[in-house]
Amino acid sequence: MTLTLSYLVTKQYSPRTFFLLHWFSFLTSICGVMFLMISRGHYTIDIIIAYFVTTRLWWIYHTLAHNKTLKTKGEHNPVAEVFWWRIFRYFEQNVTSPLPNTYSRPNLKEFSQKFSNFMNRILWSRNRLCSYGDSGNTV
């Protein structure tokens, strides 16, 4: 399930121009499943059922999340009778449309500055606690 899900995430959320990444992810997933079968870690039927469940849940979720009419209750929506539909609607209520696939580089300078400030606070408080413990221990 994890291998299949990682391929689906890579395929769905990475740009279409990353076709080498898509192929690498696909081949890694296929090889992992084949090695699992060869090592007799699972039965073949387990792997087939896991693939079926994983891909169907993935497609159902994305179909519901990207379709506004399936987020409303009514005669047109038979999915609204399923027990988890209200939970899904609660978590997706503020999402008005599919989120765009936009990518940007992380700001490493800002991250390193925040990380160094965080580490300095930890070290400062640790040194301060150690100095309090040493003040009364003179021999």
Side-chain angles (χ1 to χ4, degrees):
M1 284 176 48
T2 304
L3 294 169
T4 304
L5 192 59
S6 67
Y7 168 69
L8 292 171
V9 167
T10 303
K11 182 77 171 158
Q12 177 79 26
Y13 295 114
S14 64
R16 298 209 186 276
T17 57
F18 288 8
F19 60 91
L20 289 176
L21 177 65
H22 298 162
W23 276 103
F24 178 75
S25 177
F26 177 71
L27 292 175
T28 303
S29 178
I30 293 296
C31 286
V33 169
M34 296 303 283
F35 290 145
L36 188 64
M37 289 174 57
I38 290 170
S39 70
R40 297 182 180 180
H42 285 279
Y43 294 113
T44 306
I45 192 69
D46 291 346
I47 294 170
I48 292 170
I49 290 172
Y51 171 79
F52 183 80
V53 168
T54 303
T55 54
R56 294 321 173 265
L57 284 175
W58 179 267
W59 291 331
I60 287 171
Y61 169 76
H62 282 86
T63 300
L64 289 171
H66 294 279
N67 194 336
K68 287 183 183 180
T69 59
L70 293 177
K71 291 182 185 179
T72 59
K73 192 170 186 171
E75 296 283 327
H76 65 283
N77 189 5
V79 181
E81 302 302 321
V82 182
F83 73 94
W84 50 262
W85 183 74
R86 286 189 175 100
I87 299 168
F88 166 79
R89 229 177 105 195
Y90 173 76
F91 284 114
E92 295 290 327
Q93 69 187 353
N94 295 331
V95 181
T96 57
S97 65
L99 299 176
N101 288 343
T102 57
Y103 305 95
S104 63
R105 289 184 171 174
N107 189 351
L108 294 179
K109 186 176 182 180
E110 181 181 341
F111 172 75
S112 65
Q113 183 181 14
K114 286 183 179 182
F115 183 73
S116 65
N117 290 341
F118 174 72
M119 291 304 291
N120 287 337
R121 278 186 294 183
I122 289 175
L123 293 175
W124 182 78
S125 64
R126 184 174 179 206
N127 290 339
R128 200 171 116 210
L129 288 174
C130 291
S131 67
Y132 288 137
D134 293 337
S135 62
N137 295 335
T138 57
V139 179

